[in-house]
Amino acid sequence: MTGRYVALGSSMAAGPGIAPRDKDAPWQAGRSAANYPHLVAQRLGLDLVDLTYSGATTANVITDRQHGSPPQIEALDGSEVLVTITIGGNDVGYVPMLMAASLPHAVRSVPMLGGVLTDLLDPTARDRALVQVGESLKTVGRTVRQRAPLARVLFVDYLTLLPPAGEEAPPLSGRDAALGRRIADTLERLTGEAAEETGCGWVRAAEASRAHHAWSADPWTTRFSLFGLLRRDRPKPLHPNAAGMRAVADLVIGQAKSPHTARRS
């Protein structure tokens, strides 16, 4: 397989804190040179254009600049053979919600943070965001297919962070963990629906990593840690670790090499 590969997405694809850092990336992107796009490109011999950026939303993929960087989709020129998309979590506040729920109650009561944290932990607010992201994901899929008509386009959903219902995930309360699972499950479903409706492939990283959640014996993601938030030389809390990135790369490569069955839009 040869040609141009463009990777679009948020921190779940960028891999903040996984060494080594991508020295060509903006500092704010938190982009690793060992994230799944880099691993896929190396193993398949593709020319990588990695636009993944921590904090990115669907709007940053298709319309909005981020810290001075243009919308990610502008990198597509129609010559691509592969495009991967990992996006949507920031639209619904998935990881921010888990981080807010993991903070000590003393921090949650700080006046400047209280309102923001309360909104993140509000199930109704999260449900409204999930309704909106479903259509946004479809817009991303349609727009990418139009800009890269020759490419295999793959939605890559998020690695599983939380243990299954009935298992504890300290410091999260049972209620907050349940909300996190509901957000993750809905985002996974919406990603699959967007892939199906727009004729893209779906790399099911969430499904493949159920037994490798952050509290497991063989985690592909990291737990929350206040200390970890301050470290730049370790994988960011509630994000993929190096093992997780290798696992996702394997999944992407397997699907990229499989017969192309997705319909053309």
Side-chain angles (χ1 to χ4, degrees), residues 55-77:
T57 64
T58 53
N60 296 129
V61 171
I62 55 178
T63 58
D64 294 0
R65 300 180 70 87
Q66 187 176 10
H67 299 293
S69 295
Q72 295 178 23
I73 204 166
E74 290 189 7
L76 299 177
D77 62 14

